Amino acid sequence: MTASAPARPSSPADHLWMHFTRMSAYAGQPVPTIERGEGCHIWDTDGKRYLDALSGLFVVQAGHGREELAQAAAAQARKLAFFPVWSYAHPTAIELADRLAAAAPGDLNKVFFSTGGGEAVETAWKVAKQYFRLTGRPGKYKVISRAIAYHGTTQGALSITGVPPFKAPFEPLVPGSVRVPNTNFYRAPEFVAGDEKAFGRWAADQVEQAILMEGADTVAAVFVEPVQNAGGCFPPPPGYFERLRQICDAHDVLLVSDEVICAYGRLGTMFGAQKFGYQPDIITSAKGLTSGYSPLGAAIISDRIFEPFATGETTFAHGYTFGGHPVSCAVALANLDIFESEDLLGNVLRREVDFRTTLNRLLDLPIVGDVRGDGFFFGIEMVKDKATKETFTAAESERILRGFVSPALFERGLYCRADDRGDTVVQVAPPLISDQAVFDEIESVLRSVFTDAWAML
């Protein structure tokens, strides 16, 4: 008999197709594999500890290893593991919808559950389209969003997304999406550089120009994040959202606040719109709603927009099998209990200045051009020349960001995001339970890696 060759050890890359991953990178090396978490830290299968400076993926607000969230999931699964909210209801979905409506600003009182953020965005666009059909304006179907903004990967949400490389492989996409400038003040046009208020007015006015160019009778909604994620945490300039609300009202266009990242305490308020004082017509949310212990998203919709759906034989022919899942809703309720009992929103508001101040120390490095963001959500932009703000070429970003910075951060015990969807940035968004010790650890590792990256240049 011929002895068979010994089987090689299984690798996650053998069968697992990882999301947003260059799979060839793992052809000859192991995949980083995380097996447990506690508080603000995670451990890999070799027992090495890392600081989770991205909250998983802007998700784990209450921190890892929360026994009360696991218990809430188990208790609900024993009682009712699954039932849909298609023409029926169950108690946890009802209770969570009531709680979100009470927390949301203004008349946002109707909650449509999904399993994630992209689905919530998809829901919002479809609501907007049907709303205008029901109110006699079927030509209003287009959406305006901002350059480099990420809104999801489903065909509709991807159409709204403003990151060209993500869209190109899947085109043609859903028609009717239009792009306007974002609020990156670091790279503001020369004629408004140095004046945040003027820049904010200019950036908002570009939305109105797009509405007029497309024709107000064709535009249904504007989708914006309170702090734009892709490109590296762009906060709104003073007056931006006030002006945007005026523009939407003037042209009968819905204002959708995409808060998949910015809701549930990331900025120190339950919803990002509350941090910046504007009233959306719809909020899309997910991620921090359950602190990631179970998948759940929600589109929270105003009474005014819901009204024509509540009459006659009208149906919103849209839904998700696992949207409003009983276990996920139970976990969300327990998660919101933690928010209250441990004052997680207050922790962010009390410490956000300290977090910003700690990260601002990095500005003494020649490779750090800008530190920006809000709450516990910041981006650090890397540049070749601070005086001119010259950014990296594609080849340099490949070599420096992907080839060194990203793996070096992880090797030195920091899990965060190194990204070049816009300019070259590193993003940090630690759990809402974080304190100064966490901030100092983030800054220390970033300083070490940035210093070595500069030496490579």
Side-chain angles (χ1 to χ4, degrees):
M1 294 179 63
T2 302
S4 59
R8 67 178 177 84
S10 177
S11 163
D14 285 348
H15 306 292
L16 175 63
W17 195 339
M18 291 171 287
H19 300 198
F20 280 97
T21 299
R22 189 180 294 180
M23 295 296 289
S24 63
Y26 297 111
Q29 61 181 341
V31 176
T33 305
I34 305 303
E35 68 172 356
R36 70 183 182 94
E38 186 69 32
C40 293
H41 292 87
I42 52 177
W43 284 260
D44 67 18
T45 48
D46 294 323
K48 182 177 177 180
R49 189 184 83 156
Y50 306 84
L51 174 61
D52 181 0
L54 202 65
S55 301
L57 195 61
F58 316 106
V59 171
V60 189
Q61 316 294 62
H64 297 276
R66 302 300 300 242
E67 182 64 25
E68 54 268 68
L69 298 184
Q71 288 175 353
Q76 180 59 44
R78 292 188 192 101
K79 187 175 184 180
L80 179 67
F82 174 75
F83 206 78
V85 290
W86 297 47
S87 300
Y88 295 86
H90 54 77
T92 56
I94 293 170
E95 184 180 353
L96 182 58
D98 289 347
R99 197 157 174 180
L100 293 179
D107 69 339
L108 300 184
N109 290 315
K110 290 295 183 290
V111 180
F112 192 101
F113 287 118
S114 64
T115 59
E119 291 177 352
V121 169
E122 199 84 11
T123 298
W125 193 2
K126 291 175 78 172
V127 165
K129 284 183 173 181
Q130 190 171 353
Y131 167 76
F132 283 114
R133 283 183 176 273
L134 291 172
T135 54
R137 293 158 292 175
K140 289 174 77 72
Y141 69 95
K142 295 177 184 176
V143 164
I144 293 170
S145 61
R146 301 185 294 199
I148 315 299
Y150 175 82
H151 293 284
T153 56
T154 58
Q155 292 281 307
L158 185 58
S159 299
I160 300 172
T161 290
V163 186
F166 289 177
K167 300 156 71 83
F170 310 107
E171 291 175 329
L173 294 168
V174 180
S177 183
V178 179
R179 222 67 56 233
V180 295
N182 56 47
T183 60
N184 183 0
F185 183 61
Y186 183 63
R187 298 192 178 279
E190 212 171 291
F191 59 89
V192 288
D195 186 337
E196 281 192 285
K197 191 169 184 180
F199 171 62
R201 176 66 183 234
W202 172 85
D205 284 348
Q206 301 316 295
V207 176
E208 182 168 49
Q209 290 303 310
I211 292 172
L212 295 173
M213 179 67 70
E214 295 297 318
D217 57 344
T218 72
V219 179
V222 174
F223 279 68
V224 287
E225 299 161 275
V227 175
Q228 182 173 314
N229 170 39
C233 302
F234 304 141
Y240 176 80
F241 277 114
E242 179 183 5
R243 175 65 182 143
L244 194 56
R245 181 71 264 181
Q246 292 171 352
I247 291 167
C248 289
D249 289 343
H251 298 287
D252 196 16
V253 171
L254 305 188
L255 177 56
V256 180
S257 188
D258 184 355
E259 305 197 13
V260 172
I261 289 176
C262 292
Y264 312 119
R266 180 54 51 193
L267 307 181
T269 49
M270 189 59 74
F271 296 99
Q274 294 164 324
K275 185 69 175 285
F276 300 114
Y278 65 95
Q279 179 61 50
D281 297 297
I282 302 174
I283 287 176
T284 57
S285 67
K287 293 191 183 288
L289 176 53
T290 65
S291 282
Y293 283 68
S294 191
L296 186 64
I300 310 173
I301 299 148
S302 77
D303 290 335
R304 178 176 71 91
I305 305 307
F306 174 74
E307 186 177 359
F309 291 89
T311 60
E313 299 178 356
T314 301
T315 298
F316 182 42
H318 175 73
Y320 303 102
T321 298
F322 296 112
H325 192 283
V327 173
S328 295
C329 290
V331 171
L333 289 165
N335 183 52
L336 295 177
D337 286 343
I338 292 174
F339 274 48
E340 293 180 5
S341 64
E342 299 183 13
D343 191 21
L344 295 189
L345 302 183
N347 188 57
V348 176
L349 293 176
R350 287 188 296 272
R351 297 184 185 274
E352 63 178 341
V353 173
D354 295 333
F355 189 32
R356 182 190 296 272
T357 300
T358 303
L359 294 176
N360 278 344
R361 296 180 202 157
L362 298 166
L363 289 168
D364 68 354
L365 298 176
I367 200 170
V368 174
D370 193 30
V371 175
R372 55 182 177 255
D374 198 275
F376 279 13
F377 184 37
F378 278 85
I380 301 100
E381 182 168 339
M382 301 165 61
V383 293
K384 285 199 300 184
D385 188 319
K386 290 181 76 158
T388 65
K389 303 181 183 179
E390 183 183 1
T391 192
F392 297 103
T393 65
E396 288 168 337
S397 184
E398 180 73 23
R399 180 171 67 92
I400 300 296
L401 189 74
R402 296 179 184 275
F404 175 72
V405 170
S406 185
L409 288 168
F410 194 68
E411 288 165 8
R412 298 180 197 186
L414 188 69
Y415 167 71
C416 57
R417 168 183 270 177
D419 189 31
D420 60 354
R421 283 176 288 180
D423 293 303
T424 305
V425 298
V426 171
Q427 287 179 291
V428 288
L432 309 189
I433 60 173
S434 298
D435 57 16
Q436 187 61 46
V438 170
F439 307 156
D440 288 339
E441 187 175 350
I442 291 172
E443 190 270 344
S444 177
V445 177
L446 289 174
R447 177 173 294 276
S448 167
V449 172
F450 287 160
T451 298
D452 290 348
W454 181 254
M456 291 179 65
L457 288 171

